[in-house]
């Protein structure tokens, strides 16, 4: 079990996931890996940002999967926040009418695991604190104080290929 809060532009996400993956293969090959992360990936990335599609292409090439599958929808946002003029960082403040254009609305949060270990049953998001994700709603709010939604997933173990062999040892 691992977690990671990525750098603002998400450029440390792949190196950190690589390090955890390599550690898991070398030091914990008899265990299952679940890695929850704020990957800070972007729907429409700039040159200095980690795009969500290239991130997914990378993790699938490494025999990993995520709670959103091998090809996550770039519009499946887990953040939507816009700083106001009431917050101390005035250089980041935007008008309410600009929230859809200048706000941070991106698919940033993932649960990553070995593709051969789990089947995704369901994945859910929440940005209200009530088990509901309201698309198009800026957060944090008074009722939900985080600028990232909650992401959770239900996984089922895949059966082992060889009788008696744990699923996590089936790495190719």
């Amino acid at each position: 079990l691992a977690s990671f809060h990525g750098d603002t532009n998400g450029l440390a996400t792949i190196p950190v996931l690589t390090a955890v993956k390599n550690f898991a293969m070398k030091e914990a090959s008899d265990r299952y890996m679940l890695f929850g992360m704020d990957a800070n990936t972007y729907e429409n990335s700039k040159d200095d940002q980690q795009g969500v599609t290239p991130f997914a292409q990378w993790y699938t090439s490494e025999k990993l999967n995520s709670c959103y599958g091998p090809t996550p929808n770039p519009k499946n946002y887990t953040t939507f926040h816009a700083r106001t003029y009431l917050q101390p960082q005035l250089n980041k403040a935007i008008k309410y009418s600009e929230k859809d254009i200048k706000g941070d609305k991106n698919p940033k949060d993932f649960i990553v695991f070995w593709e051969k270990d789990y089947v995704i049953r369901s994945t859910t998001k929440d940005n209200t604190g009530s088990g509901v994700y309201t698309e198009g709603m800026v957060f944090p709010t008074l009722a939900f104080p985080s600028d990232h939604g909650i992401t959770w997933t239900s996984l089922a173990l895949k059966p082992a290929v060889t009788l008696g062999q744990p699923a996590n040892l089936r790495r190719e």
Side-chain angles (χ1 to χ4, degrees):
L1 184 60
S3 66
F4 172 65
H5 180 240
D7 59 305
T8 300
N9 290 350
L11 298 179
T13 299
I14 289 176
V16 168
L17 183 50
T18 298
V20 170
K21 173 186 72 84
N22 291 342
F23 174 83
M25 289 171 52
K26 183 178 178 186
E27 302 293 334
S29 63
D30 61 335
R31 304 227 165 81
Y32 298 101
M33 181 179 74
L34 288 174
F35 193 166
M37 66 176 62
D38 166 3
N40 274 329
T41 54
Y42 292 82
E43 173 188 9
N44 298 304
S45 59
K46 298 175 184 168
D47 289 340
D48 65 341
Q49 295 174 326
Q50 179 61 60
V52 69
T53 300
F55 174 59
Q57 291 167 340
W58 177 83
Y59 70 66
T60 55
S61 75
E62 297 293 316
K63 300 184 187 317
L64 297 166
N65 199 0
S66 87
C67 58
Y68 297 115
T71 54
N73 178 354
K75 293 189 178 299
N76 186 19
Y77 308 126
T78 61
T79 62
F80 187 14
H81 59 275
R83 298 199 189 268
T84 70
Y85 291 101
L86 297 175
Q87 294 172 297
Q89 295 177 314
L90 292 176
N91 60 317
K92 295 182 180 181
I94 62 173
K95 297 176 184 174
Y96 183 78
S97 61
E98 299 173 323
K99 69 178 174 57
D100 288 312
I101 298 164
K102 294 184 177 179
D104 185 356
K105 182 168 48 169
N106 285 290
K108 294 188 174 189
D109 302 290
F110 293 84
I111 300 168
V112 177
F113 47 88
W114 292 111
E115 186 278 329
K116 291 187 176 278
D117 286 346
Y118 297 102
V119 173
I120 304 163
R121 289 184 179 169
S122 64
T123 298
T124 307
K125 304 182 300 183
D126 178 4
N127 63 355
T128 64
S130 300
V132 174
Y133 192 91
T134 303
E135 296 292 344
M137 182 181 81
V138 177
F139 53 100
T141 65
L142 291 175
F144 189 81
S146 177
D147 63 353
H148 285 255
I150 298 167
T151 299
W152 72 91
T153 194
S154 173
L155 302 171
L157 285 171
K158 288 184 176 180
V161 173
T162 306
L163 290 177
Q165 181 182 22
N168 59 331
L169 294 179
R170 295 182 281 122
R171 314 243 195 282
E172 294 172 1

mmCIF file of all heavy atoms in Angstrom, residues 119-168:
data_model
loop_
_atom_site.group_PDB
_atom_site.id
_atom_site.type_symbol
_atom_site.label_atom_id
_atom_site.label_comp_id
_atom_site.label_asym_id
_atom_site.label_seq_id
_atom_site.Cartn_x
_atom_site.Cartn_y
_atom_site.Cartn_z
ATOM 1 N N VAL A 119 -9.412 -7.011 -11.072
ATOM 2 C CA VAL A 119 -10.475 -6.604 -11.994
ATOM 3 C C VAL A 119 -11.179 -5.435 -11.315
ATOM 4 O O VAL A 119 -11.486 -5.500 -10.118
ATOM 5 C CB VAL A 119 -11.483 -7.758 -12.232
ATOM 6 C CG1 VAL A 119 -12.668 -7.278 -13.061
ATOM 7 C CG2 VAL A 119 -10.801 -8.932 -12.872
ATOM 8 N N ILE A 120 -11.452 -4.393 -12.071
ATOM 9 C CA ILE A 120 -12.161 -3.236 -11.518
ATOM 10 C C ILE A 120 -13.649 -3.550 -11.479
ATOM 11 O O ILE A 120 -14.256 -3.840 -12.512
ATOM 12 C CB ILE A 120 -11.923 -1.977 -12.379
ATOM 13 C CG1 ILE A 120 -10.435 -1.689 -12.508
ATOM 14 C CG2 ILE A 120 -12.677 -0.772 -11.807
ATOM 15 C CD1 ILE A 120 -10.084 -0.738 -13.640
ATOM 16 N N ARG A 121 -14.222 -3.523 -10.302
ATOM 17 C CA ARG A 121 -15.675 -3.682 -10.166
ATOM 18 C C ARG A 121 -16.379 -2.351 -10.398
ATOM 19 O O ARG A 121 -17.348 -2.269 -11.125
ATOM 20 C CB ARG A 121 -16.027 -4.215 -8.789
ATOM 21 C CG ARG A 121 -15.647 -5.639 -8.551
ATOM 22 C CD ARG A 121 -16.134 -6.053 -7.188
ATOM 23 N NE ARG A 121 -15.807 -7.431 -6.913
ATOM 24 C CZ ARG A 121 -15.925 -7.979 -5.740
ATOM 25 N NH1 ARG A 121 -16.359 -7.269 -4.711
ATOM 26 N NH2 ARG A 121 -15.611 -9.235 -5.551
ATOM 27 N N SER A 122 -15.902 -1.322 -9.708
ATOM 28 C CA SER A 122 -16.489 0.013 -9.863
ATOM 29 C C SER A 122 -15.522 1.040 -9.306
ATOM 30 O O SER A 122 -14.675 0.723 -8.476
ATOM 31 C CB SER A 122 -17.829 0.111 -9.127
ATOM 32 O OG SER A 122 -17.624 -0.037 -7.733
ATOM 33 N N THR A 123 -15.655 2.257 -9.787
ATOM 34 C CA THR A 123 -14.895 3.388 -9.266
ATOM 35 C C THR A 123 -15.863 4.538 -9.104
ATOM 36 O O THR A 123 -16.706 4.772 -9.972
ATOM 37 C CB THR A 123 -13.730 3.761 -10.206
ATOM 38 O OG1 THR A 123 -12.845 2.640 -10.289
ATOM 39 C CG2 THR A 123 -12.965 4.969 -9.703
ATOM 40 N N THR A 124 -15.734 5.242 -7.996
ATOM 41 C CA THR A 124 -16.664 6.313 -7.654
ATOM 42 C C THR A 124 -15.881 7.539 -7.215
ATOM 43 O O THR A 124 -14.774 7.420 -6.693
ATOM 44 C CB THR A 124 -17.591 5.852 -6.510
ATOM 45 O OG1 THR A 124 -18.183 4.608 -6.882
ATOM 46 C CG2 THR A 124 -18.687 6.853 -6.241
ATOM 47 N N LYS A 125 -16.486 8.700 -7.432
ATOM 48 C CA LYS A 125 -15.891 9.965 -6.983
ATOM 49 C C LYS A 125 -16.905 10.682 -6.099
ATOM 50 O O LYS A 125 -18.104 10.453 -6.199
ATOM 51 C CB LYS A 125 -15.580 10.890 -8.168
ATOM 52 C CG LYS A 125 -14.698 10.292 -9.234
ATOM 53 C CD LYS A 125 -14.399 11.273 -10.340
ATOM 54 C CE LYS A 125 -15.636 11.760 -11.055
ATOM 55 N NZ LYS A 125 -15.390 12.654 -12.173
ATOM 56 N N ASP A 126 -16.381 11.571 -5.246
ATOM 57 C CA ASP A 126 -17.232 12.364 -4.358
ATOM 58 C C ASP A 126 -16.584 13.733 -4.164
ATOM 59 O O ASP A 126 -15.417 13.817 -3.817
ATOM 60 C CB ASP A 126 -17.367 11.642 -3.011
ATOM 61 C CG ASP A 126 -18.192 12.386 -1.977
ATOM 62 O OD1 ASP A 126 -18.747 13.456 -2.280
ATOM 63 O OD2 ASP A 126 -18.273 11.889 -0.836
ATOM 64 N N ASN A 127 -17.330 14.793 -4.418
ATOM 65 C CA ASN A 127 -16.833 16.144 -4.121
ATOM 66 C C ASN A 127 -17.831 16.904 -3.248
ATOM 67 O O ASN A 127 -17.807 18.132 -3.189
ATOM 68 C CB ASN A 127 -16.519 16.930 -5.398
ATOM 69 C CG ASN A 127 -17.730 17.174 -6.277
ATOM 70 O OD1 ASN A 127 -18.832 16.692 -6.013
ATOM 71 N ND2 ASN A 127 -17.526 17.924 -7.352
ATOM 72 N N THR A 128 -18.693 16.153 -2.566
ATOM 73 C CA THR A 128 -19.711 16.772 -1.711
ATOM 74 C C THR A 128 -19.615 16.312 -0.259
ATOM 75 O O THR A 128 -20.182 16.953 0.623
ATOM 76 C CB THR A 128 -21.126 16.436 -2.214
ATOM 77 O OG1 THR A 128 -21.325 15.016 -2.098
ATOM 78 C CG2 THR A 128 -21.327 16.875 -3.657
ATOM 79 N N GLY A 129 -18.967 15.179 -0.023
ATOM 80 C CA GLY A 129 -18.946 14.582 1.311
ATOM 81 C C GLY A 129 -20.155 13.712 1.563
ATOM 82 O O GLY A 129 -20.326 13.158 2.638
ATOM 83 N N SER A 130 -21.001 13.553 0.551
ATOM 84 C CA SER A 130 -22.227 12.753 0.663
ATOM 85 C C SER A 130 -22.227 11.556 -0.272
ATOM 86 O O SER A 130 -23.275 10.986 -0.544
ATOM 87 C CB SER A 130 -23.442 13.632 0.354
ATOM 88 O OG SER A 130 -23.511 14.706 1.251
ATOM 89 N N GLY A 131 -21.066 11.204 -0.803
ATOM 90 C CA GLY A 131 -20.987 10.067 -1.714
ATOM 91 C C GLY A 131 -21.420 10.393 -3.130
ATOM 92 O O GLY A 131 -21.683 9.496 -3.918
ATOM 93 N N VAL A 132 -21.455 11.680 -3.487
ATOM 94 C CA VAL A 132 -21.917 12.125 -4.801
ATOM 95 C C VAL A 132 -20.856 13.044 -5.400
ATOM 96 O O VAL A 132 -20.252 13.844 -4.680
ATOM 97 C CB VAL A 132 -23.251 12.902 -4.671
ATOM 98 C CG1 VAL A 132 -23.684 13.497 -5.997
ATOM 99 C CG2 VAL A 132 -24.330 12.007 -4.097
ATOM 100 N N TYR A 133 -20.644 12.925 -6.692
ATOM 101 C CA TYR A 133 -19.765 13.864 -7.398
ATOM 102 C C TYR A 133 -20.633 14.734 -8.286
ATOM 103 O O TYR A 133 -21.309 14.238 -9.183
ATOM 104 C CB TYR A 133 -18.724 13.135 -8.246
ATOM 105 C CG TYR A 133 -17.635 14.054 -8.751
ATOM 106 C CD1 TYR A 133 -16.478 14.246 -8.017
ATOM 107 C CD2 TYR A 133 -17.775 14.753 -9.947
ATOM 108 C CE1 TYR A 133 -15.475 15.098 -8.454
ATOM 109 C CE2 TYR A 133 -16.781 15.603 -10.390
ATOM 110 C CZ TYR A 133 -15.640 15.769 -9.644
ATOM 111 O OH TYR A 133 -14.646 16.624 -10.074
ATOM 112 N N THR A 134 -20.617 16.035 -8.042
ATOM 113 C CA THR A 134 -21.399 16.979 -8.836
ATOM 114 C C THR A 134 -20.492 17.579 -9.896
ATOM 115 O O THR A 134 -19.592 18.372 -9.577
ATOM 116 C CB THR A 134 -21.992 18.089 -7.936
ATOM 117 O OG1 THR A 134 -22.778 17.469 -6.914
ATOM 118 C CG2 THR A 134 -22.844 19.044 -8.745
ATOM 119 N N GLU A 135 -20.688 17.167 -11.157
ATOM 120 C CA GLU A 135 -19.881 17.683 -12.257
ATOM 121 C C GLU A 135 -20.123 19.181 -12.405
ATOM 122 O O GLU A 135 -21.237 19.664 -12.248
ATOM 123 C CB GLU A 135 -20.226 16.969 -13.568
ATOM 124 C CG GLU A 135 -19.920 15.489 -13.582
ATOM 125 C CD GLU A 135 -18.431 15.149 -13.553
ATOM 126 O OE1 GLU A 135 -17.573 16.022 -13.817
ATOM 127 O OE2 GLU A 135 -18.116 13.979 -13.269
ATOM 128 N N GLY A 136 -19.068 19.921 -12.709
ATOM 129 C CA GLY A 136 -19.182 21.352 -12.938
ATOM 130 C C GLY A 136 -19.196 22.196 -11.680
ATOM 131 O O GLY A 136 -19.278 23.418 -11.770
ATOM 132 N N MET A 137 -19.102 21.560 -10.515
ATOM 133 C CA MET A 137 -19.112 22.302 -9.258
ATOM 134 C C MET A 137 -17.677 22.597 -8.821
ATOM 135 O O MET A 137 -16.838 21.704 -8.766
ATOM 136 C CB MET A 137 -19.804 21.494 -8.158
ATOM 137 C CG MET A 137 -19.880 22.231 -6.827
ATOM 138 S SD MET A 137 -20.673 21.260 -5.535
ATOM 139 C CE MET A 137 -19.325 20.199 -5.024
ATOM 140 N N VAL A 138 -17.407 23.860 -8.549
ATOM 141 C CA VAL A 138 -16.095 24.253 -8.038
ATOM 142 C C VAL A 138 -16.008 23.842 -6.566
ATOM 143 O O VAL A 138 -16.973 23.993 -5.819
ATOM 144 C CB VAL A 138 -15.896 25.780 -8.187
ATOM 145 C CG1 VAL A 138 -14.560 26.208 -7.597
ATOM 146 C CG2 VAL A 138 -15.975 26.180 -9.657
ATOM 147 N N PHE A 139 -14.881 23.308 -6.170
ATOM 148 C CA PHE A 139 -14.639 22.970 -4.778
ATOM 149 C C PHE A 139 -13.188 23.250 -4.456
ATOM 150 O O PHE A 139 -12.379 23.346 -5.386
ATOM 151 C CB PHE A 139 -15.054 21.516 -4.459
ATOM 152 C CG PHE A 139 -14.469 20.441 -5.347
ATOM 153 C CD1 PHE A 139 -13.386 19.679 -4.930
ATOM 154 C CD2 PHE A 139 -15.004 20.173 -6.603
ATOM 155 C CE1 PHE A 139 -12.859 18.688 -5.735
ATOM 156 C CE2 PHE A 139 -14.474 19.183 -7.402
ATOM 157 C CZ PHE A 139 -13.399 18.442 -6.972
ATOM 158 N N PRO A 140 -12.844 23.513 -3.209
ATOM 159 C CA PRO A 140 -13.562 23.205 -1.984
ATOM 160 C C PRO A 140 -14.784 24.096 -1.764
ATOM 161 O O PRO A 140 -14.908 25.179 -2.327
ATOM 162 C CB PRO A 140 -12.526 23.436 -0.885
ATOM 163 C CG PRO A 140 -11.531 24.365 -1.467
ATOM 164 C CD PRO A 140 -11.537 24.128 -2.947
ATOM 165 N N THR A 141 -15.659 23.581 -0.895
ATOM 166 C CA THR A 141 -16.841 24.313 -0.450
ATOM 167 C C THR A 141 -16.849 24.278 1.079
ATOM 168 O O THR A 141 -16.021 23.606 1.693
ATOM 169 C CB THR A 141 -18.134 23.663 -0.976
ATOM 170 O OG1 THR A 141 -18.255 22.353 -0.389
ATOM 171 C CG2 THR A 141 -18.139 23.547 -2.499
ATOM 172 N N LEU A 142 -17.806 24.951 1.669
ATOM 173 C CA LEU A 142 -17.917 24.884 3.129
ATOM 174 C C LEU A 142 -18.214 23.458 3.595
ATOM 175 O O LEU A 142 -17.765 23.034 4.655
ATOM 176 C CB LEU A 142 -18.992 25.847 3.623
ATOM 177 C CG LEU A 142 -18.652 27.332 3.467
ATOM 178 C CD1 LEU A 142 -19.852 28.185 3.873
ATOM 179 C CD2 LEU A 142 -17.431 27.708 4.284
ATOM 180 N N ALA A 143 -18.959 22.707 2.801
ATOM 181 C CA ALA A 143 -19.311 21.331 3.171
ATOM 182 C C ALA A 143 -18.224 20.322 2.788
ATOM 183 O O ALA A 143 -18.139 19.247 3.367
ATOM 184 C CB ALA A 143 -20.632 20.938 2.524
ATOM 185 N N PHE A 144 -17.400 20.660 1.794
ATOM 186 C CA PHE A 144 -16.355 19.745 1.318
ATOM 187 C C PHE A 144 -15.054 20.541 1.200
ATOM 188 O O PHE A 144 -14.822 21.236 0.211
ATOM 189 C CB PHE A 144 -16.750 19.145 -0.040
ATOM 190 C CG PHE A 144 -15.844 18.038 -0.484
ATOM 191 C CD1 PHE A 144 -16.014 16.748 0.009
ATOM 192 C CD2 PHE A 144 -14.821 18.276 -1.378
ATOM 193 C CE1 PHE A 144 -15.171 15.719 -0.391
ATOM 194 C CE2 PHE A 144 -13.968 17.259 -1.786
ATOM 195 C CZ PHE A 144 -14.150 15.978 -1.296
ATOM 196 N N PRO A 145 -14.174 20.460 2.204
ATOM 197 C CA PRO A 145 -13.038 21.373 2.298
ATOM 198 C C PRO A 145 -11.805 21.011 1.472
ATOM 199 O O PRO A 145 -10.772 21.665 1.607
ATOM 200 C CB PRO A 145 -12.706 21.345 3.794
ATOM 201 C CG PRO A 145 -13.137 19.999 4.242
ATOM 202 C CD PRO A 145 -14.352 19.667 3.411
ATOM 203 N N SER A 146 -11.862 20.037 0.605
ATOM 204 C CA SER A 146 -10.692 19.648 -0.183
ATOM 205 C C SER A 146 -10.797 20.179 -1.612
ATOM 206 O O SER A 146 -11.893 20.322 -2.152
ATOM 207 C CB SER A 146 -10.579 18.124 -0.220
ATOM 208 O OG SER A 146 -9.485 17.741 -1.031
ATOM 209 N N ASP A 147 -9.648 20.417 -2.248
ATOM 210 C CA ASP A 147 -9.670 20.808 -3.654
ATOM 211 C C ASP A 147 -9.487 19.608 -4.590
ATOM 212 O O ASP A 147 -9.381 19.764 -5.797
ATOM 213 C CB ASP A 147 -8.638 21.907 -3.948
ATOM 214 C CG ASP A 147 -7.200 21.480 -3.706
ATOM 215 O OD1 ASP A 147 -6.968 20.375 -3.179
ATOM 216 O OD2 ASP A 147 -6.301 22.271 -4.037
ATOM 217 N N HIS A 148 -9.469 18.411 -4.023
ATOM 218 C CA HIS A 148 -9.503 17.171 -4.797
ATOM 219 C C HIS A 148 -10.705 16.370 -4.325
ATOM 220 O O HIS A 148 -10.976 16.291 -3.128
ATOM 221 C CB HIS A 148 -8.247 16.322 -4.564
ATOM 222 C CG HIS A 148 -7.042 16.851 -5.247
ATOM 223 N ND1 HIS A 148 -6.523 16.274 -6.373
ATOM 224 C CD2 HIS A 148 -6.253 17.921 -4.974
ATOM 225 C CE1 HIS A 148 -5.458 16.954 -6.758
ATOM 226 N NE2 HIS A 148 -5.270 17.958 -5.921
ATOM 227 N N GLY A 149 -11.401 15.763 -5.271
ATOM 228 C CA GLY A 149 -12.489 14.885 -4.890
ATOM 229 C C GLY A 149 -11.943 13.607 -4.279
ATOM 230 O O GLY A 149 -10.742 13.299 -4.377
ATOM 231 N N ILE A 150 -12.805 12.863 -3.641
ATOM 232 C CA ILE A 150 -12.446 11.549 -3.108
ATOM 233 C C ILE A 150 -12.643 10.539 -4.233
ATOM 234 O O ILE A 150 -13.659 10.555 -4.920
ATOM 235 C CB ILE A 150 -13.344 11.185 -1.908
ATOM 236 C CG1 ILE A 150 -13.153 12.197 -0.780
ATOM 237 C CG2 ILE A 150 -13.064 9.761 -1.440
ATOM 238 C CD1 ILE A 150 -14.200 12.097 0.308
ATOM 239 N N THR A 151 -11.658 9.689 -4.430
ATOM 240 C CA THR A 151 -11.754 8.624 -5.425
ATOM 241 C C THR A 151 -11.658 7.302 -4.688
ATOM 242 O O THR A 151 -10.748 7.109 -3.882
ATOM 243 C CB THR A 151 -10.599 8.715 -6.445
ATOM 244 O OG1 THR A 151 -10.665 9.967 -7.121
ATOM 245 C CG2 THR A 151 -10.663 7.588 -7.462
ATOM 246 N N TRP A 152 -12.617 6.422 -4.917
ATOM 247 C CA TRP A 152 -12.492 5.080 -4.343
ATOM 248 C C TRP A 152 -12.927 4.066 -5.370
ATOM 249 O O TRP A 152 -13.668 4.355 -6.292
ATOM 250 C CB TRP A 152 -13.211 4.930 -3.007
ATOM 251 C CG TRP A 152 -14.707 4.903 -3.010
ATOM 252 C CD1 TRP A 152 -15.504 3.804 -3.103
ATOM 253 C CD2 TRP A 152 -15.594 6.020 -2.890
ATOM 254 N NE1 TRP A 152 -16.817 4.167 -3.038
ATOM 255 C CE2 TRP A 152 -16.905 5.521 -2.910
ATOM 256 C CE3 TRP A 152 -15.413 7.397 -2.764
ATOM 257 C CZ2 TRP A 152 -18.014 6.341 -2.822
ATOM 258 C CZ3 TRP A 152 -16.513 8.216 -2.671
ATOM 259 C CH2 TRP A 152 -17.791 7.680 -2.697
ATOM 260 N N THR A 153 -12.406 2.867 -5.201
ATOM 261 C CA THR A 153 -12.658 1.821 -6.178
ATOM 262 C C THR A 153 -12.890 0.488 -5.476
ATOM 263 O O THR A 153 -12.384 0.255 -4.381
ATOM 264 C CB THR A 153 -11.480 1.723 -7.179
ATOM 265 O OG1 THR A 153 -11.870 0.944 -8.303
ATOM 266 C CG2 THR A 153 -10.232 1.133 -6.566
ATOM 267 N N SER A 154 -13.667 -0.347 -6.112
ATOM 268 C CA SER A 154 -13.877 -1.716 -5.650
ATOM 269 C C SER A 154 -13.177 -2.625 -6.652
ATOM 270 O O SER A 154 -13.458 -2.563 -7.859
ATOM 271 C CB SER A 154 -15.377 -2.035 -5.591
ATOM 272 O OG SER A 154 -15.569 -3.401 -5.292
ATOM 273 N N LEU A 155 -12.260 -3.439 -6.156
ATOM 274 C CA LEU A 155 -11.486 -4.340 -7.000
ATOM 275 C C LEU A 155 -11.747 -5.780 -6.583
ATOM 276 O O LEU A 155 -12.022 -6.052 -5.417
ATOM 277 C CB LEU A 155 -9.989 -4.046 -6.856
ATOM 278 C CG LEU A 155 -9.521 -2.632 -7.182
ATOM 279 C CD1 LEU A 155 -8.058 -2.456 -6.780
ATOM 280 C CD2 LEU A 155 -9.716 -2.331 -8.649
ATOM 281 N N ALA A 156 -11.619 -6.679 -7.531
ATOM 282 C CA ALA A 156 -11.686 -8.111 -7.244
ATOM 283 C C ALA A 156 -10.370 -8.741 -7.684
ATOM 284 O O ALA A 156 -9.832 -8.377 -8.745
ATOM 285 C CB ALA A 156 -12.849 -8.760 -7.989
ATOM 286 N N LEU A 157 -9.846 -9.640 -6.876
ATOM 287 C CA LEU A 157 -8.635 -10.341 -7.257
ATOM 288 C C LEU A 157 -8.902 -11.234 -8.468
ATOM 289 O O LEU A 157 -9.926 -11.910 -8.534
ATOM 290 C CB LEU A 157 -8.123 -11.206 -6.111
ATOM 291 C CG LEU A 157 -7.445 -10.485 -4.970
ATOM 292 C CD1 LEU A 157 -7.184 -11.443 -3.821
ATOM 293 C CD2 LEU A 157 -6.158 -9.825 -5.436
ATOM 294 N N LYS A 158 -7.962 -11.233 -9.404
ATOM 295 C CA LYS A 158 -8.038 -12.156 -10.526
ATOM 296 C C LYS A 158 -7.540 -13.511 -10.034
ATOM 297 O O LYS A 158 -6.644 -13.580 -9.188
ATOM 298 C CB LYS A 158 -7.162 -11.682 -11.680
ATOM 299 C CG LYS A 158 -7.708 -10.473 -12.397
ATOM 300 C CD LYS A 158 -6.829 -10.134 -13.587
ATOM 301 C CE LYS A 158 -7.404 -8.977 -14.372
ATOM 302 N NZ LYS A 158 -6.559 -8.630 -15.537
ATOM 303 N N PRO A 159 -8.091 -14.591 -10.533
ATOM 304 C CA PRO A 159 -7.608 -15.909 -10.104
ATOM 305 C C PRO A 159 -6.192 -16.155 -10.613
ATOM 306 O O PRO A 159 -5.803 -15.663 -11.669
ATOM 307 C CB PRO A 159 -8.602 -16.886 -10.740
ATOM 308 C CG PRO A 159 -9.255 -16.128 -11.849
ATOM 309 C CD PRO A 159 -9.190 -14.681 -11.489
ATOM 310 N N ALA A 160 -5.429 -16.899 -9.840
ATOM 311 C CA ALA A 160 -4.063 -17.248 -10.225
ATOM 312 C C ALA A 160 -4.083 -18.143 -11.445
ATOM 313 O O ALA A 160 -4.988 -18.965 -11.621
ATOM 314 C CB ALA A 160 -3.352 -17.924 -9.063
ATOM 315 N N VAL A 161 -3.078 -18.020 -12.288
ATOM 316 C CA VAL A 161 -2.974 -18.846 -13.493
ATOM 317 C C VAL A 161 -2.618 -20.275 -13.105
ATOM 318 O O VAL A 161 -3.173 -21.228 -13.607
ATOM 319 C CB VAL A 161 -1.922 -18.261 -14.457
ATOM 320 C CG1 VAL A 161 -1.686 -19.196 -15.619
ATOM 321 C CG2 VAL A 161 -2.359 -16.897 -14.945
ATOM 322 N N THR A 162 -1.674 -20.434 -12.175
ATOM 323 C CA THR A 162 -1.241 -21.745 -11.714
ATOM 324 C C THR A 162 -1.829 -21.984 -10.333
ATOM 325 O O THR A 162 -1.753 -21.122 -9.471
ATOM 326 C CB THR A 162 0.299 -21.798 -11.633
ATOM 327 O OG1 THR A 162 0.832 -21.422 -12.900
ATOM 328 C CG2 THR A 162 0.781 -23.174 -11.254
ATOM 329 N N LEU A 163 -2.408 -23.153 -10.131
ATOM 330 C CA LEU A 163 -2.975 -23.457 -8.825
ATOM 331 C C LEU A 163 -1.933 -23.288 -7.737
ATOM 332 O O LEU A 163 -0.791 -23.729 -7.877
ATOM 333 C CB LEU A 163 -3.530 -24.882 -8.798
ATOM 334 C CG LEU A 163 -4.788 -25.118 -9.632
ATOM 335 C CD1 LEU A 163 -5.182 -26.586 -9.561
ATOM 336 C CD2 LEU A 163 -5.921 -24.250 -9.151
ATOM 337 N N GLY A 164 -2.310 -22.629 -6.675
ATOM 338 C CA GLY A 164 -1.419 -22.420 -5.551
ATOM 339 C C GLY A 164 -0.468 -21.247 -5.698
ATOM 340 O O GLY A 164 0.256 -20.921 -4.787
ATOM 341 N N GLN A 165 -0.447 -20.615 -6.870
ATOM 342 C CA GLN A 165 0.451 -19.480 -7.076
ATOM 343 C C GLN A 165 -0.330 -18.180 -6.874
ATOM 344 O O GLN A 165 -1.326 -17.956 -7.546
ATOM 345 C CB GLN A 165 1.029 -19.513 -8.491
ATOM 346 C CG GLN A 165 1.997 -18.384 -8.770
ATOM 347 C CD GLN A 165 2.511 -18.409 -10.204
ATOM 348 O OE1 GLN A 165 1.882 -18.978 -11.075
ATOM 349 N NE2 GLN A 165 3.645 -17.786 -10.428
ATOM 350 N N PRO A 166 0.109 -17.320 -5.934
ATOM 351 C CA PRO A 166 -0.594 -16.045 -5.738
ATOM 352 C C PRO A 166 -0.613 -15.223 -7.020
ATOM 353 O O PRO A 166 0.329 -15.250 -7.809
ATOM 354 C CB PRO A 166 0.227 -15.337 -4.655
ATOM 355 C CG PRO A 166 0.988 -16.428 -3.978
ATOM 356 C CD PRO A 166 1.227 -17.479 -5.029
ATOM 357 N N ALA A 167 -1.696 -14.505 -7.231
ATOM 358 C CA ALA A 167 -1.872 -13.707 -8.448
ATOM 359 C C ALA A 167 -0.740 -12.703 -8.641
ATOM 360 O O ALA A 167 -0.349 -12.425 -9.754
ATOM 361 C CB ALA A 167 -3.222 -12.997 -8.411
ATOM 362 N N ASN A 168 -0.216 -12.153 -7.547
ATOM 363 C CA ASN A 168 0.798 -11.118 -7.685
ATOM 364 C C ASN A 168 2.153 -11.677 -8.135
ATOM 365 O O ASN A 168 3.055 -10.921 -8.449
ATOM 366 C CB ASN A 168 0.943 -10.303 -6.408
ATOM 367 C CG ASN A 168 1.307 -11.164 -5.230
ATOM 368 O OD1 ASN A 168 0.965 -12.337 -5.184
ATOM 369 N ND2 ASN A 168 1.977 -10.581 -4.264
#
